[in-house]
Amino acid sequence: MIATYTGIFTDNGDGTVTIDEPTYGTYELEYDTYFIQMATVTYFSLADNPEEGGNWTSDDMPQMLELVPMTTFTLDGDAIITYTTDDPDFQETEEESEDTSGETEAESTDSSAESEAEVEESVDLGNVVLEIASDDEGTTFTLYDSGSYLFYFADYDISDVGTYSYADGVLTITDANGAVTESSIDGNNVVFHYEYSQSDQLTGDYTVAVNDLETALS
């Protein structure tokens, strides 16, 4: 999502600058897996419930201008120290964010590095028999000899554990909420589409050779 706005600002002469509601804006939304999340953030209708992304201007939809409220920034040179608006949903202190950013980043990094290991330690998954990278290489789907699987979405540091079985050429996957996914055959490959048990926005499409799968599970 790329939004660009133009308008008027006022230097208040006391180390603060106030921007008015913008006079013009452009909005570009690129369609991908997370399109619906971006569309929801805008909280205004992007045409008639579009199924694809696109480009809009505030001439088309004046509601776009509401995304940027009148805001007063406190500056230290070129740096924004704090900002306030009349809209409580936009209230934030950047100074506070900076104070915790290092800690948050460290926690996130540690969690990302240990995530899969922590899951394997907390749940007895057994030994890895096959790790399948998604077609876009954004996620992995790991099969264990215990009959458990581990879905891992690295960008979001999210893991999902469930069970699987394989019979008559079909890989049957049951997630933590009981939802069942069954694979299909595409030539010499087994293919399946997996959705994270807590959100259908986090997904992976997988392709694995039949021989590789059967050898690993034999």
Side-chain angles (χ1 to χ4, degrees):
M1 180 271 285
I2 302 173
T4 304
Y5 292 89
T6 58
I8 302 297
F9 74 88
T10 301
D11 186 339
N12 300 314
D14 58 358
T16 66
V17 168
T18 299
I19 63 169
D20 294 332
E21 183 176 290
T23 55
Y24 182 76
T26 61
Y27 190 89
E28 178 183 351
L29 186 62
E30 180 177 337
Y31 179 81
D32 66 7
T33 304
Y34 311 105
F35 165 79
I36 190 62
Q37 295 176 336
M38 289 290 95
T40 301
V41 168
T42 63
Y43 71 81
F44 58 79
S45 172
L46 299 179
D48 298 322
N49 298 318
E51 295 182 357
E52 296 185 355
N55 295 274
W56 296 268
T57 72
S58 56
D59 291 339
D60 305 321
M61 293 184 298
Q63 310 97 301
M64 287 173 52
L65 301 179
E66 298 174 6
L67 288 175
V68 182
M70 179 181 290
T71 306
T72 297
F73 298 92
T74 301
L75 306 179
D76 181 5
D78 293 334
I80 296 174
I81 304 304
T82 63
Y83 65 87
T84 59
T85 77
D86 293 333
D87 188 336
D89 291 338
F90 285 82
Q91 297 291 353
E92 181 177 338
T93 302
E94 185 161 316
E95 188 175 47
E96 294 175 356
S97 297
E98 290 176 353
D99 289 343
T100 59
S101 61
E103 179 182 349
T104 301
E105 183 177 353
E107 290 176 353
S108 176
T109 302
D110 291 344
S111 176
S112 177
E114 299 174 3
S115 176
E116 287 180 284
E118 287 176 348
V119 170
E120 291 176 346
E121 290 177 3
S122 61
V123 180
D124 184 13
L125 299 178
N127 299 312
V128 174
V129 294
L130 183 65
E131 181 177 291
I132 309 168
S134 60
D135 295 346
D136 63 3
E137 298 184 348
T139 66
T140 56
F141 198 89
T142 305
L143 305 180
Y144 295 82
D145 59 6
S146 63
S148 298
Y149 72 80
L150 175 66
F151 166 79
Y152 183 60
F153 202 125
D155 287 350
Y156 288 84
D157 191 26
I158 286 177
S159 298
D160 204 16
V161 174
T163 61
Y164 73 90
S165 62
Y166 182 71
D168 300 324
V170 177
L171 182 66
T172 302
I173 300 161
T174 305
D175 72 16
N177 291 327
V180 175
T181 298
E182 290 188 345
S183 68
S184 59
I185 295 293
D186 181 12
N188 295 321
N189 297 316
V190 170
V191 297
F192 61 96
H193 173 81
Y194 182 79
E195 296 182 355
Y196 174 55
S197 63
Q198 302 300 320
S199 170
D200 60 8
Q201 294 298 305
L202 303 179
T203 67
D205 290 294
Y206 299 89
T207 303
V208 56
V210 173
N211 288 341
D212 291 344
L213 182 61
E214 293 186 345
T215 298
L217 298 180
S218 61

